[in-house]
Amino acid sequence: ERYDLRLPVVIPNGQAWMSIYLLLTGMHALHLIVGLIALAFWLPQKLTARKSPAFYVTCMYWQFVDAMWLTIFVFIYL
């Protein structure tokens, strides 16, 4: 017995959806790489009172990238 799926040749709004998906995930990946490079910069550094604010900003940037990913995940996958 043969079961044929009758799928549409073109998914309605498929190109727009995929473009938005790739834009969001691509921009997130770019910011993720920037955050990893910034955090890797701090690995060999000795944290002093003078460097502490810059380290704090780097960590807050990383938290922002994480929060954005959670937001993207909710809107795309749920």
Side-chain angles (χ1 to χ4, degrees):
E1 188 170 338
R2 184 174 174 204
Y3 297 98
D4 288 329
L5 292 176
R6 297 185 188 268
L7 297 175
V9 176
V10 176
I11 298 172
N13 297 322
Q15 288 182 339
W17 186 89
M18 195 61 175
S19 295
I20 292 170
Y21 172 79
L22 290 175
L23 175 71
L24 289 174
T25 55
M27 289 300 290
H28 175 70
L30 175 69
H31 287 88
L32 186 77
I33 291 168
V34 169
L36 286 173
I37 291 170
L39 288 173
F41 169 79
W42 288 105
L43 282 176
Q45 302 287 326
K46 182 175 181 181
L47 194 58
T48 62
R50 195 173 131 249
K51 294 179 182 178
S52 182
F55 179 70
Y56 178 76
V57 169
T58 304
C59 292
M60 291 305 294
Y61 174 80
W62 185 255
Q63 293 300 315
F64 171 75
V65 171
D66 189 37
M68 284 294 98
W69 173 245
L70 292 174
T71 305
I72 291 169
F73 183 84
V74 167
F75 281 117
I76 289 180
Y77 296 111
L78 298 180

